Amino acid sequence: MPTDRAVAAESHVILNHFLTDESVQPFHEAATRAGFQSAGYFVIREKGQVIGALNLYADEPDFFSPEVQATLNDMV
């Protein structure tokens, strides 16, 4: 799971082509029904410790540009 990978790595995980990424193949059908093509998994920190993750989805491929990633990293 990408959320698990993000928490374990203590860093974000970006899947800008969710529907063709084999690591999440079991979720392709649900993603198609939901209408998303990109996903970003961002760790949430409190006092330097990872306490969770924020999962975001977008309806277009390549949504999570470096600029969007930097903004989201600053927010969480």
Side-chain angles (χ1 to χ4, degrees):
M1 291 285 294
T3 304
D4 297 338
R5 291 189 345 229
V7 170
E10 297 188 13
S11 181
H12 64 268
V13 171
I14 302 298
L15 303 177
N16 267 326
H17 296 275
F18 193 95
L19 297 177
T20 59
D21 191 308
E22 289 303 313
S23 72
V24 289
Q25 191 281 326
F27 305 103
H28 287 175
E29 185 178 327
T32 299
R33 283 195 311 270
F36 71 82
Q37 296 187 43
S38 294
Y41 306 86
F42 295 83
V43 294
I44 300 170
R45 298 177 194 280
E46 182 176 43
K47 298 178 183 174
Q49 298 276 62
V50 173
I51 61 167
L54 175 66
N55 300 344
L56 301 171
Y57 304 95
D59 63 356
E60 60 189 75
D62 296 315
F63 178 83
F64 294 97
S65 66
E67 295 82 11
V68 170
Q69 292 177 48
T71 299
L72 290 166
N73 279 326
D74 288 343
M75 293 173 58
V76 295

